[in-house]
Amino acid sequence: MSEGSTGDPSRGSSRQRAVHPENMSLGSSCFSPPVNFLQELPSYRSVARRRTNIVSRDRQSGTLLKPTDSYSSQLDGGITENLNSQSIRKYALNISEKRRLRDIQETQMKYLSEWDQWKRYSSKSWKRFLEKAREMTTHLELWRKDIRSIEGKFGTGIQSYFSFLRFLVVLNLVIFLIIFMLVLLPILLTKYKITNSTFVLIPFKDMDIQCTVYPISSSGLIYFYSYIIDLLSGTGFLEETSLFYGHYTIDGVKFQNFTYDLPLAYLISTIAYLALSLLWIVKRSVEGFKISLIRSEEHFQSYCNKIFAGWDFCITNRSMAELKHSSLRYELREIDKMVFGENLLILYLPSIVITLANFITPIIFAKIIHYEDYSPGFEIRLTILRCVFMRLATICVLVFTLGSKITSCGDSTCELCGYNQKLYPCWETQVGQEMYKLMIFDFIIILAVTLFVDFPRKLLVTYCASSKLIQCWGQQEFAIPDNVLGIVYGQTICWIGAFFSPLLPAVATLKFVIIFYVKELSLLYTCRPSPRQFRASNSNFFFLLVLLIGLCLAIIPLTISMSRIPSSKACGPFTNFNTTWEVIPLTVSTFPSSLQTLIHAVTSEAFAVPFFMIICLVMFYFIALAGAHKRVVVQLREQLFLESRDKRYLIQKLTEAQRDVRSQHA
């Protein structure tokens, strides 16, 4: 187009460019301006330089669609080739073009054989069935209405915490079901004569009688407060129940056709729930990592996204809207840089010390971080990681301290039983009691802080607002990192203690259910959200990463206790084994010789080294694949940027042409 052109054709041509500037690209079929004008577009040189590579990559992947108006050639080419394998919904097209695609699909169906038509219809019906099934399962989600309500009032950041808590409830419920099916159910079926089965007692093994002595609390006159102590500490009547390891002192259950090996099932249940937790967390982490990878942004892009697309339209409350404003302002700054009492106190002394350490150290870390030159977002993540390692380190210190006491006998070398039988006749049960006390005490602290600190603080802030001291104190913030640390800490205790206390996952499930409602009430009536919020995608991935750290640290003491520390000779299903792990090679020895040879080959170094190398190659492949996907995302962003420059250029030329037309008419 020449700038000096006049008359209606020129004006019509200008109007056409104003309506369809986004459809201009190389090779446009319906608009054919002079070549020189196309070469003036800002996107021409960059597109011309990479046009061949981009077109070949688009045709191979079928994912990148150019914003041109030559849809007819695309429909006849790349898109129609993928109609059989991809849904029309996946294409970024308007309704008319999608209808056109559907018409092409129906036309193609007429030329297929009956068998191909049946396969096409059955595949489409199966996909519709799966979509309907997914829609139905969403209505069965736990706390779906409550979490949606929280998301609507407080945004997606706080909603991610409650979704994370729901995940832990489901995880602990599944862990409990695994232990119940493998360990508890055969015993209950035999105990209550539901099936025709009998218990198989542990065969007598020649050992010193002192190692088999397990003194349990004597019966007789028991005061009422003793039941409270037993309930809170896991001693007394609870010690003799199926809550703890020492209750399972049988070798198996004999049914009509086979004998159920309880020691093997007990160990397999532990390995199963640890493996399930690892795979589940990794799967959810990978999903969150994909989202965070796609949404990784440059500083300028991040700034623009927060300015023009950072509003959370789920928010319906005015105060929450003001909070979202402050949150966006914060995110923008990241562009820059008695006898009864005495007994209970003694029993809970380790738990109290650990809880005090967990309470004091976050305050110290929060003060230290102010003297370090970090961006606000990195400050939060670094503080969380420090607090996580501090909390989990206290648990590990407690476990390893118990382990050193169990394996040390003072001046003697524990040659008689292999462990300190006088102090710890059934050391697995006593470790389980410590984990039980940690979980109960943590639950009591959460309830106490909510009932006796948060609610009174809310009342003081509401009805004593005239006091300057109360105004300085302010309303309690719902700090997402601190609350996440609390439930990760409780979940780590559950992972460690489930081997020593098989019903601990059930206790953890009940605990997290109550915590959900307590935290929901606290959020709605006593707390205000913290202005330092995470995006839901980033927070979900980070929460799972912290949880994965807790799982890895929980596996270490469990592995040492099962493979190194001698098992108790007075209780539990492993009294005839030196260690818990010995049940595995003993079971393998009963297999056929060919299967034994295969298992020994798989577990040897000759197999482990090549397997590790293959895993590394697969990992490098996925890393390269992720890099390729990220480059595609970068190219798409560059393409959007170039299109915006083209639009500005076309609008500028249109304005100049209109100005020239007015000047000529004048």
Side-chain angles (χ1 to χ4, degrees), residues 438-448 510-512 514-515 518:
L438 282 175
M439 181 165 290
I440 295 299
F441 191 73
D442 181 64
F443 177 63
I444 292 174
I445 290 298
I446 291 175
L447 291 182
L510 181 62
K511 170 189 171 182
F512 287 145
I514 298 175
I515 286 177
V518 169

Side-chain angles (χ1 to χ4, degrees), residues 37 53 65 156 201 206 299 336 339 355 367 380 594 635:
F37 178 75
N53 295 331
L65 295 178
T156 57
L201 300 179
D206 188 15
H299 289 303
D336 308 325
V339 176
T355 304
K367 297 295 183 182
I380 294 178
S594 59
Q635 290 176 3

Side-chain angles (χ1 to χ4, degrees), residues 6-60:
T6 59
D8 295 337
S10 171
R11 192 176 299 118
S13 176
S14 301
R15 193 160 45 242
Q16 183 181 7
R17 290 172 194 147
V19 175
H20 300 287
E22 69 277 7
N23 292 334
M24 292 192 62
S25 65
L26 295 177
S28 179
S29 60
C30 63
F31 180 73
S32 56
V35 178
N36 293 333
F37 178 75
L38 281 177
Q39 292 177 351
E40 294 178 4
L41 290 175
S43 62
Y44 177 81
R45 295 180 180 178
S46 59
V47 173
R49 185 172 58 251
R50 297 179 301 176
R51 185 174 185 273
T52 304
N53 295 331
I54 293 178
V55 169
S56 61
R57 189 181 302 117
D58 293 348
R59 289 177 178 173
Q60 292 176 2

Side-chain angles (χ1 to χ4, degrees), residues 630-647:
K630 191 169 185 178
R631 286 192 294 272
V632 172
V633 173
V634 171
Q635 290 176 3
L636 284 172
R637 288 175 178 164
E638 291 178 356
Q639 186 175 350
L640 291 174
F641 175 70
L642 292 174
E643 288 177 8
S644 64
R645 293 179 60 186
D646 288 347
K647 291 178 182 180

Side-chain angles (χ1 to χ4, degrees), residues 341-372:
E342 292 176 358
N343 291 339
L344 200 60
L345 180 64
I346 294 173
L347 289 172
Y348 266 87
L349 189 58
S351 304
I352 293 173
V353 173
I354 290 175
T355 304
L356 287 176
N358 294 337
F359 179 76
I360 295 173
T361 50
I363 300 176
I364 298 175
F365 291 150
K367 297 295 183 182
I368 292 175
I369 201 70
H370 291 303
Y371 299 98
E372 298 173 331

Side-chain angles (χ1 to χ4, degrees), residues 297-306 334-336:
E297 302 163 338
E298 299 291 337
H299 289 303
F300 181 74
Q301 292 174 339
S302 176
Y303 179 83
C304 293
N305 287 339
K306 288 181 175 64
E334 296 187 38
I335 302 166
D336 308 325

Side-chain angles (χ1 to χ4, degrees), residues 611-636:
F611 179 76
F612 178 74
M613 294 178 64
I614 293 173
I615 291 296
C616 291
L617 292 176
V618 172
M619 182 181 65
F620 290 143
Y621 166 75
F622 281 108
I623 291 175
L625 188 63
H629 290 168
K630 191 169 185 178
R631 286 192 294 272
V632 172
V633 173
V634 171
Q635 290 176 3
L636 284 172

Side-chain angles (χ1 to χ4, degrees), residues 124-413:
K124 187 179 296 185
S125 301
W126 176 249
K127 290 179 181 179
R128 288 177 181 175
F129 171 76
L130 291 178
E131 290 178 357
K132 293 294 183 182
R134 291 191 190 99
E135 291 178 1
M136 292 296 295
T137 54
T138 55
H139 294 284
L140 300 177
E141 286 183 351
L142 183 64
W143 298 318
R144 178 174 178 268
K145 185 177 179 181
D146 298 272
I147 293 179
R148 289 287 180 88
S149 176
I150 291 172
E151 181 182 4
K153 294 179 180 178
F154 300 96
T156 57
I158 293 179
Q159 173 264 339
S160 63
Y161 162 77
F162 287 93
S163 298
F164 181 62
L165 184 56
R166 177 177 61 186
F167 165 69
L168 292 184
V169 170
V170 177
L171 176 63
N172 283 291
L173 182 60
V174 174
I175 291 175
F176 166 71
L177 291 177
I178 291 174
I179 298 176
F180 178 81
M181 296 295 292
L182 293 178
V183 179
L184 280 171
L185 185 59
I187 296 176
L188 294 177
L189 293 176
T190 306
K191 182 177 180 180
Y192 295 101
K193 306 297 182 182
I194 299 176
T195 59
N196 188 14
S197 57
T198 57
F199 290 122
V200 179
L201 300 179
I202 297 176
F204 178 77
K205 187 177 180 180
D206 188 15
M207 66 180 67
D208 194 285
I209 192 66
Q210 295 181 7
C211 297
T212 61
V213 175
Y214 181 27
I216 302 178
S217 57
S218 61
S219 59
L221 181 61
I222 300 177
Y223 295 101
F224 175 74
Y225 66 81
S226 299
Y227 287 104
I228 301 178
I229 295 177
D230 294 342
L231 186 64
L232 295 178
S233 61
T235 57
F237 73 95
L238 278 182
E239 188 174 352
E240 304 175 15
T241 63
S242 55
L243 178 62
F244 294 108
Y245 169 94
H247 177 76
Y248 304 91
T249 311
I250 59 174
D251 193 51
V253 178
K254 187 175 182 180
F255 293 91
Q256 292 182 351
N257 300 324
F258 68 97
T259 300
Y260 190 79
D261 193 343
L262 185 66
L264 180 63
Y266 198 100
L267 181 59
I268 288 177
S269 66
T270 303
I271 298 174
Y273 80 73
L274 290 175
L276 173 70
S277 302
L278 179 62
L279 294 176
W280 203 344
I281 293 172
V282 168
K283 180 180 178 297
R284 291 175 65 96
S285 300
V286 168
E287 294 173 355
F289 179 73
K290 288 179 180 178
I291 297 175
S292 61
L293 179 67
I294 293 174
R295 293 185 179 180
S296 59
E297 302 163 338
E298 299 291 337
H299 289 303
F300 181 74
Q301 292 174 339
S302 176
Y303 179 83
C304 293
N305 287 339
K306 288 181 175 64
I307 292 295
F308 298 107
W311 186 251
D312 191 348
F313 288 94
C314 295
I315 297 177
T316 58
N317 188 283
R318 182 176 180 84
S319 60
M320 293 304 104
E322 295 176 355
L323 176 70
K324 184 63 179 179
H325 280 290
S326 63
S327 176
L328 287 174
R329 287 195 299 270
Y330 161 72
E331 290 180 0
L332 290 175
R333 288 201 302 269
E334 296 187 38
I335 302 166
D336 308 325
K337 270 170 130 158
M338 290 173 310
V339 176
F340 164 71
E342 292 176 358
N343 291 339
L344 200 60
L345 180 64
I346 294 173
L347 289 172
Y348 266 87
L349 189 58
S351 304
I352 293 173
V353 173
I354 290 175
T355 304
L356 287 176
N358 294 337
F359 179 76
I360 295 173
T361 50
I363 300 176
I364 298 175
F365 291 150
K367 297 295 183 182
I368 292 175
I369 201 70
H370 291 303
Y371 299 98
E372 298 173 331
D373 189 16
Y374 298 123
S375 63
F378 186 75
E379 283 183 4
I380 294 178
R381 288 175 173 80
L382 182 60
T383 304
I384 290 177
L385 289 177
R386 285 173 173 173
C387 296
V388 164
F389 281 108
M390 184 62 196
R391 282 181 176 243
L392 301 183
T394 55
I395 301 176
C396 292
V397 168
L398 174 63
V399 172
F400 283 109
T401 301
L402 288 173
S404 62
K405 290 183 179 180
I406 290 168
T407 55
S408 63
C409 301
D411 297 334
S412 60
T413 58

